[in-house]
Amino acid sequence: QFVALAIYCTHLGCPVNWQPDAELFLCPCHGGVVGADGRVAAGPPPHALYHYETRVVDGKVQILTGPIPTA
């Protein structure tokens, strides 16, 4: 099982940065904090990061993409 998240904060669409030591995504624009599962942990984001559908075909992970949501 894999999780694929959009990298854009749901507050204003800034790209979040993964912080491996803390296992959190941080938004540099307004201080949003998002957990590894995409759920908001703190700050202004109104909801979780968007999830993309994933599947494994012939040992390779595929992500169903579409328009990139920004907010």
Side-chain angles (χ1 to χ4, degrees):
Q1 174 119 9
F2 293 89
V3 175
L5 302 169
I7 66 165
Y8 299 104
C9 180
T10 58
H11 177 230
L12 292 176
C14 295
V16 295
N17 299 306
W18 175 246
Q19 303 298 309
D21 292 338
E23 296 188 4
L24 295 169
F25 294 98
L26 301 180
C27 180
C29 295
H30 295 104
V33 180
V34 179
D37 61 358
R39 291 188 211 166
V40 177
H47 54 83
L49 296 177
Y50 292 98
H51 284 75
Y52 291 110
E53 290 183 48
T54 62
R55 67 182 182 183
V56 178
V57 177
D58 296 327
K60 296 180 182 176
V61 178
Q62 296 180 343
I63 300 170
L64 177 62
T65 62
I68 298 171
T70 57

Coordinates of all heavy atoms in Angstrom, one line a residue:
Q1 N 0.8 -1.2 0.0 CA 0.0 0.0 0.0 C 0.9 1.2 0.0 O 1.9 1.3 0.7 CB -0.9 0.0 1.2 CG -1.7 1.3 1.4 CD -3.2 1.0 1.3 OE1 -3.6 -0.1 1.4 NE2 -4.0 2.0 1.3
F2 N 0.6 2.2 -0.9 CA 1.3 3.4 -1.0 C 0.4 4.6 -0.8 O -0.8 4.5 -1.1 CB 2.0 3.5 -2.3 CG 3.1 2.5 -2.5 CD1 2.8 1.2 -3.0 CD2 4.4 2.8 -2.1 CE1 3.8 0.3 -3.2 CE2 5.4 1.9 -2.3 CZ 5.1 0.6 -2.8
V3 N 0.9 5.7 -0.4 CA 0.1 7.0 -0.3 C 0.8 8.0 -1.2 O 2.0 8.2 -1.1 CB 0.1 7.5 1.2 CG1 -0.6 8.8 1.3 CG2 -0.6 6.4 2.1
A4 N 0.1 8.6 -2.0 CA 0.6 9.7 -2.9 C -0.2 11.0 -2.5 O -1.4 11.0 -2.7 CB 0.4 9.3 -4.3
L5 N 0.5 12.0 -2.1 CA -0.1 13.3 -1.7 C 0.3 14.4 -2.7 O 1.5 14.4 -3.1 CB 0.4 13.6 -0.3 CG 0.1 12.6 0.8 CD1 0.8 13.0 2.1 CD2 -1.4 12.5 1.1
A6 N -0.6 15.3 -2.9 CA -0.3 16.5 -3.6 C 0.7 17.3 -2.7 O 0.6 17.3 -1.5 CB -1.5 17.3 -3.9
I7 N 1.6 18.0 -3.3 CA 2.6 18.7 -2.5 C 2.1 20.1 -2.1 O 2.8 20.8 -1.4 CB 4.0 18.8 -3.2 CG1 3.9 19.7 -4.5 CG2 4.5 17.5 -3.5 CD1 5.2 20.1 -5.0
Y8 N 1.0 20.5 -2.6 CA 0.5 21.9 -2.3 C -0.4 22.0 -1.1 O -1.4 21.3 -1.0 CB -0.2 22.4 -3.6 CG 0.7 22.4 -4.8 CD1 0.6 21.5 -5.8 CD2 1.7 23.4 -4.9 CE1 1.5 21.5 -6.8 CE2 2.6 23.4 -5.9 CZ 2.4 22.4 -6.9 OH 3.3 22.4 -8.0
C9 N 0.0 23.0 -0.2 CA -0.8 23.3 1.0 C -2.2 23.7 0.5 O -2.4 24.4 -0.4 CB -0.1 24.4 1.7 SG -1.0 24.8 3.2
T10 N -3.2 23.2 1.3 CA -4.6 23.6 1.0 C -5.0 24.9 1.5 O -6.1 25.4 1.3 CB -5.5 22.5 1.5 OG1 -5.4 22.4 2.9 CG2 -5.3 21.2 0.9
H11 N -4.1 25.7 2.1 CA -4.3 27.0 2.5 C -4.3 28.0 1.3 O -5.2 28.6 0.9 CB -3.4 27.4 3.7 CG -3.6 28.8 4.1 ND1 -2.5 29.7 4.3 CD2 -4.7 29.5 4.5 CE1 -3.0 30.9 4.7 NE2 -4.3 30.8 4.8
L12 N -3.1 28.1 0.8 CA -2.9 29.0 -0.4 C -2.1 28.4 -1.5 O -1.7 29.1 -2.4 CB -2.2 30.3 0.1 CG -3.0 31.2 1.0 CD1 -2.1 32.4 1.5 CD2 -4.2 31.7 0.4
G13 N -1.9 27.1 -1.4 CA -1.3 26.4 -2.6 C 0.3 26.5 -2.6 O 0.9 26.1 -3.6
C14 N 0.9 26.8 -1.5 CA 2.4 26.8 -1.5 C 2.9 25.4 -1.4 O 2.2 24.5 -0.8 CB 2.9 27.6 -0.3 SG 2.5 29.3 -0.3
P15 N 4.0 25.0 -2.0 CA 4.5 23.7 -1.9 C 5.0 23.4 -0.5 O 5.8 24.2 0.0 CB 5.6 23.6 -3.0 CG 6.0 25.0 -3.3 CD 4.8 25.9 -3.0
V16 N 4.6 22.3 0.0 CA 5.1 21.9 1.4 C 6.5 21.2 1.3 O 6.8 20.7 0.2 CB 4.1 21.0 2.1 CG1 2.8 21.8 2.4 CG2 3.8 19.8 1.4
N17 N 7.2 21.2 2.4 CA 8.5 20.6 2.4 C 8.5 19.4 3.4 O 8.0 19.6 4.6 CB 9.6 21.6 2.9 CG 9.7 22.7 1.9 OD1 9.9 22.5 0.7 ND2 9.6 23.9 2.4
W18 N 8.9 18.3 3.0 CA 9.0 17.1 3.9 C 10.2 17.2 4.9 O 11.3 17.5 4.4 CB 9.1 15.8 3.1 CG 9.3 14.6 3.9 CD1 10.4 13.8 3.9 CD2 8.4 14.0 4.8 NE1 10.2 12.7 4.8 CE2 9.0 12.8 5.3 CE3 7.1 14.3 5.2 CZ2 8.3 12.0 6.3 CZ3 6.4 13.5 6.1 CH2 7.0 12.4 6.6
Q19 N 9.9 17.0 6.1 CA 10.9 17.1 7.2 C 11.1 15.7 7.7 O 10.3 15.3 8.6 CB 10.6 18.1 8.3 CG 10.3 19.5 7.8 CD 11.5 20.1 7.2 OE1 12.6 20.1 7.8 NE2 11.4 20.6 6.0
P20 N 12.0 14.9 7.2 CA 12.1 13.5 7.6 C 12.3 13.2 9.1 O 11.8 12.3 9.6 CB 13.3 12.9 6.8 CG 14.0 14.1 6.3 CD 13.1 15.3 6.3
D21 N 13.1 14.0 9.8 CA 13.4 13.8 11.2 C 12.1 13.9 12.0 O 11.9 13.2 13.0 CB 14.4 14.8 11.7 CG 15.8 14.5 11.1 OD1 16.0 13.3 10.7 OD2 16.7 15.3 11.1
A22 N 11.2 14.9 11.6 CA 10.0 15.1 12.3 C 8.8 14.3 11.8 O 7.8 14.2 12.4 CB 9.6 16.6 12.3
E23 N 9.0 13.7 10.6 CA 8.0 13.0 9.8 C 6.7 13.9 9.6 O 5.6 13.5 9.9 CB 7.6 11.7 10.5 CG 8.8 10.7 10.5 CD 8.4 9.4 11.0 OE1 7.2 9.1 11.3 OE2 9.3 8.5 11.1
L24 N 7.0 15.2 9.2 CA 6.0 16.2 9.0 C 6.3 16.9 7.7 O 7.4 17.1 7.3 CB 5.9 17.2 10.1 CG 5.5 16.7 11.5 CD1 5.8 17.8 12.5 CD2 4.1 16.3 11.5
F25 N 5.2 17.4 7.1 CA 5.3 18.4 6.0 C 5.1 19.8 6.6 O 4.2 20.0 7.4 CB 4.2 18.2 4.9 CG 4.4 16.9 4.2 CD1 3.6 15.8 4.5 CD2 5.2 16.8 3.1 CE1 3.7 14.6 3.8 CE2 5.3 15.6 2.4 CZ 4.6 14.5 2.7
L26 N 6.0 20.7 6.2 CA 5.8 22.1 6.7 C 5.6 23.0 5.5 O 6.3 22.9 4.4 CB 7.1 22.5 7.4 CG 7.5 21.7 8.6 CD1 8.8 22.3 9.2 CD2 6.4 21.7 9.6
C27 N 4.7 23.9 5.7 CA 4.4 24.9 4.6 C 5.2 26.2 4.9 O 5.1 26.8 6.0 CB 2.9 25.3 4.6 SG 2.6 26.5 3.3
P28 N 6.1 26.6 4.0 CA 6.9 27.8 4.3 C 6.2 29.1 4.2 O 6.7 30.1 4.7 CB 8.0 27.7 3.2 CG 7.3 27.0 2.1 CD 6.4 26.0 2.7
C29 N 5.0 29.1 3.7 CA 4.3 30.4 3.5 C 3.7 30.9 4.8 O 3.8 32.1 5.1 CB 3.3 30.3 2.4 SG 4.1 29.9 0.8
H30 N 2.9 30.0 5.4 CA 2.2 30.5 6.6 C 2.2 29.5 7.8 O 1.4 29.6 8.7 CB 0.7 30.7 6.2 CG 0.5 31.9 5.3 ND1 0.3 31.6 3.9 CD2 0.7 33.2 5.4 CE1 0.2 32.8 3.3 NE2 0.5 33.8 4.2
G31 N 3.2 28.7 7.8 CA 3.5 27.8 8.9 C 2.5 26.6 9.1 O 2.4 26.1 10.2
G32 N 1.9 26.2 8.1 CA 1.0 25.0 8.2 C 1.9 23.8 8.4 O 3.0 23.7 8.0
V33 N 1.4 22.8 9.2 CA 2.0 21.6 9.6 C 1.1 20.5 9.2 O -0.1 20.5 9.6 CB 2.4 21.5 11.1 CG1 3.1 20.2 11.4 CG2 3.3 22.7 11.4
V34 N 1.6 19.5 8.5 CA 0.8 18.4 8.0 C 1.5 17.1 8.3 O 2.7 17.0 8.1 CB 0.5 18.5 6.5 CG1 -0.3 17.3 6.0 CG2 -0.2 19.8 6.2
G35 N 0.8 16.1 8.8 CA 1.4 14.8 9.2 C 1.7 14.0 7.9 O 1.3 14.3 6.8
A36 N 2.4 12.9 8.1 CA 2.8 12.0 7.0 C 1.6 11.4 6.3 O 1.7 11.0 5.1 CB 3.7 10.9 7.5
D37 N 0.5 11.4 7.0 CA -0.7 10.8 6.4 C -1.5 11.9 5.6 O -2.6 11.6 5.0 CB -1.6 10.2 7.4 CG -2.1 11.2 8.5 OD1 -1.7 12.4 8.5 OD2 -2.9 10.8 9.4
G38 N -1.0 13.1 5.6 CA -1.6 14.2 4.9 C -2.6 15.1 5.7 O -3.1 16.1 5.3
R39 N -2.9 14.6 7.0 CA -3.8 15.4 7.8 C -3.2 16.6 8.4 O -2.0 16.6 8.8 CB -4.3 14.5 8.9 CG -5.2 13.4 8.5 CD -5.8 12.7 9.6 NE -6.0 11.3 9.3 CZ -6.3 10.3 10.2 NH1 -6.4 10.6 11.4 NH2 -6.5 9.1 9.8
V40 N -4.0 17.6 8.6 CA -3.5 18.9 9.2 C -3.2 18.7 10.6 O -4.0 18.1 11.4 CB -4.5 20.0 9.0 CG1 -4.0 21.3 9.7 CG2 -4.8 20.3 7.6
A41 N -2.0 19.1 11.1 CA -1.5 19.0 12.5 C -1.6 20.3 13.1 O -1.8 20.4 14.3 CB -0.1 18.4 12.6
A42 N -1.4 21.4 12.4 CA -1.4 22.7 13.0 C -1.4 23.8 11.8 O -1.0 23.5 10.7 CB -0.2 23.0 13.9
G43 N -1.8 25.0 12.2 CA -1.8 26.1 11.3 C -3.0 26.3 10.5 O -4.1 25.7 10.8
P44 N -2.9 27.1 9.4 CA -4.1 27.6 8.7 C -4.7 26.6 7.6 O -5.8 26.9 7.1 CB -3.6 28.9 8.0 CG -2.2 28.7 7.8 CD -1.7 27.9 9.0
P45 N -4.0 25.5 7.2 CA -4.7 24.7 6.1 C -6.1 24.3 6.5 O -6.3 23.8 7.6 CB -3.7 23.5 5.9 CG -2.4 24.0 6.5 CD -2.7 25.0 7.6
P46 N -7.1 24.5 5.6 CA -8.4 24.2 6.0 C -8.7 22.7 6.0 O -9.7 22.3 6.6 CB -9.3 24.9 4.9 CG -8.3 25.1 3.8 CD -7.0 25.2 4.3
H47 N -7.9 21.9 5.2 CA -8.2 20.5 5.2 C -6.9 19.8 4.8 O -5.9 20.4 4.4 CB -9.3 20.1 4.3 CG -9.3 20.6 2.9 ND1 -8.6 20.0 1.9 CD2 -9.8 21.7 2.4 CE1 -8.7 20.7 0.8 NE2 -9.5 21.7 1.1
A48 N -6.9 18.4 4.8 CA -5.7 17.6 4.5 C -5.2 17.8 3.1 O -5.9 18.4 2.3 CB -6.1 16.1 4.7
L49 N -4.0 17.4 2.9 CA -3.4 17.4 1.5 C -4.3 16.5 0.7 O -4.8 15.5 1.2 CB -2.0 16.9 1.5 CG -1.0 17.8 2.3 CD1 0.4 17.1 2.2 CD2 -0.9 19.2 1.7
Y50 N -4.4 16.8 -0.6 CA -5.1 15.9 -1.5 C -4.4 14.6 -1.7 O -3.1 14.6 -1.9 CB -5.4 16.6 -2.8 CG -6.3 17.8 -2.7 CD1 -5.8 19.1 -2.6 CD2 -7.7 17.6 -2.7 CE1 -6.7 20.2 -2.5 CE2 -8.5 18.6 -2.6 CZ -8.0 19.9 -2.5 OH -8.9 21.0 -2.3
H51 N -5.1 13.5 -1.8 CA -4.5 12.2 -2.1 C -4.8 11.8 -3.5 O -5.8 12.1 -4.1 CB -5.2 11.1 -1.2 CG -4.8 11.1 0.2 ND1 -5.2 12.1 1.1 CD2 -4.0 10.3 0.9 CE1 -4.6 11.8 2.3 NE2 -3.9 10.7 2.2
Y52 N -3.8 11.2 -4.1 CA -4.0 10.6 -5.4 C -4.2 9.1 -5.3 O -3.6 8.5 -4.4 CB -2.7 10.8 -6.3 CG -2.5 12.3 -6.7 CD1 -1.5 13.0 -6.1 CD2 -3.4 12.9 -7.6 CE1 -1.3 14.3 -6.5 CE2 -3.1 14.2 -8.0 CZ -2.1 14.9 -7.4 OH -1.9 16.2 -7.8
E53 N -5.0 8.5 -6.2 CA -5.1 7.0 -6.2 C -3.8 6.4 -6.6 O -3.1 6.9 -7.5 CB -6.3 6.6 -7.1 CG -7.6 7.0 -6.6 CD -8.7 6.5 -7.6 OE1 -8.7 5.3 -8.0 OE2 -9.6 7.3 -7.9
T54 N -3.5 5.2 -6.0 CA -2.3 4.5 -6.4 C -2.7 3.0 -6.7 O -3.7 2.6 -6.2 CB -1.2 4.5 -5.3 OG1 -1.7 3.9 -4.1 CG2 -0.8 6.0 -5.0
R55 N -1.8 2.4 -7.4 CA -1.9 0.9 -7.6 C -0.5 0.4 -8.0 O 0.4 1.2 -8.4 CB -2.9 0.6 -8.7 CG -2.5 1.0 -10.1 CD -3.5 0.7 -11.1 NE -3.1 1.1 -12.5 CZ -3.8 1.0 -13.5 NH1 -5.0 0.5 -13.5 NH2 -3.3 1.3 -14.7
V56 N -0.3 -0.9 -7.8 CA 0.9 -1.5 -8.2 C 0.6 -2.5 -9.3 O -0.2 -3.3 -9.3 CB 1.5 -2.3 -7.0 CG1 2.8 -3.0 -7.4 CG2 1.8 -1.4 -5.8
V57 N 1.4 -2.3 -10.4 CA 1.2 -3.1 -11.6 C 2.6 -3.6 -12.0 O 3.5 -2.8 -12.2 CB 0.6 -2.3 -12.8 CG1 0.6 -3.1 -14.1 CG2 -0.8 -1.8 -12.4
D58 N 2.8 -4.9 -12.1 CA 4.1 -5.5 -12.4 C 5.2 -5.0 -11.5 O 6.3 -4.7 -12.0 CB 4.4 -5.3 -13.9 CG 3.4 -5.9 -14.8 OD1 2.9 -7.0 -14.5 OD2 3.2 -5.4 -15.9
G59 N 4.9 -4.8 -10.3 CA 5.9 -4.4 -9.3 C 6.3 -2.9 -9.3 O 7.2 -2.5 -8.7
K60 N 5.5 -2.1 -10.1 CA 5.7 -0.7 -10.2 C 4.5 0.1 -9.6 O 3.4 -0.3 -9.9 CB 6.0 -0.3 -11.6 CG 7.3 -0.9 -12.2 CD 7.5 -0.4 -13.6 CE 8.8 -1.1 -14.1 NZ 9.0 -0.8 -15.5
V61 N 4.8 1.1 -8.9 CA 3.7 2.0 -8.3 C 3.3 2.9 -9.4 O 4.1 3.6 -10.0 CB 4.2 2.8 -7.1 CG1 3.1 3.7 -6.6 CG2 4.7 1.8 -6.0
Q62 N 2.0 3.0 -9.6 CA 1.4 4.0 -10.5 C 0.5 4.9 -9.8 O -0.2 4.5 -8.8 CB 0.6 3.2 -11.6 CG 1.4 2.4 -12.5 CD 0.6 1.7 -13.6 OE1 -0.7 1.6 -13.5 NE2 1.2 1.2 -14.6
I63 N 0.5 6.2 -10.2 CA -0.3 7.2 -9.5 C -1.3 7.7 -10.6 O -0.9 8.2 -11.7 CB 0.6 8.3 -9.0 CG1 1.6 7.8 -8.0 CG2 -0.3 9.4 -8.3 CD1 2.6 8.8 -7.5
L64 N -2.6 7.8 -10.2 CA -3.6 8.3 -11.1 C -3.6 9.8 -10.9 O -4.0 10.3 -9.8 CB -4.9 7.7 -10.8 CG -6.1 8.3 -11.6 CD1 -5.9 8.1 -13.1 CD2 -7.4 7.7 -11.2
T65 N -3.1 10.6 -11.8 CA -3.0 12.0 -11.7 C -4.1 12.7 -12.5 O -4.7 12.1 -13.4 CB -1.6 12.6 -12.1 OG1 -1.4 12.3 -13.5 CG2 -0.5 12.0 -11.3
G66 N -4.3 14.0 -12.3 CA -5.2 14.8 -13.0 C -4.7 16.2 -12.8 O -3.6 16.5 -12.5
P67 N -5.7 17.1 -12.9 CA -5.3 18.5 -12.6 C -4.8 18.6 -11.1 O -5.3 17.9 -10.3 CB -6.6 19.3 -12.7 CG -7.5 18.4 -13.6 CD -7.0 17.0 -13.3
I68 N -3.8 19.4 -11.0 CA -3.2 19.5 -9.6 C -4.0 20.4 -8.8 O -4.1 21.6 -9.1 CB -1.7 20.0 -9.7 CG1 -0.9 19.0 -10.5 CG2 -1.1 20.2 -8.3 CD1 0.5 19.4 -10.8
P69 N -4.6 19.9 -7.7 CA -5.4 20.8 -6.8 C -4.4 21.7 -6.1 O -3.3 21.3 -5.6 CB -6.1 19.9 -5.9 CG -5.4 18.6 -6.0 CD -4.6 18.5 -7.3
T70 N -4.8 23.0 -5.9 CA -3.9 23.9 -5.2 C -4.6 24.5 -3.9 O -3.9 25.0 -3.1 CB -3.5 25.1 -6.1 OG1 -4.7 25.7 -6.6 CG2 -2.7 24.6 -7.2
A71 N -5.9 24.4 -3.8 CA -6.5 24.9 -2.6 C -7.9 24.2 -2.4 O -8.4 23.6 -3.3 CB -6.6 26.4 -2.6

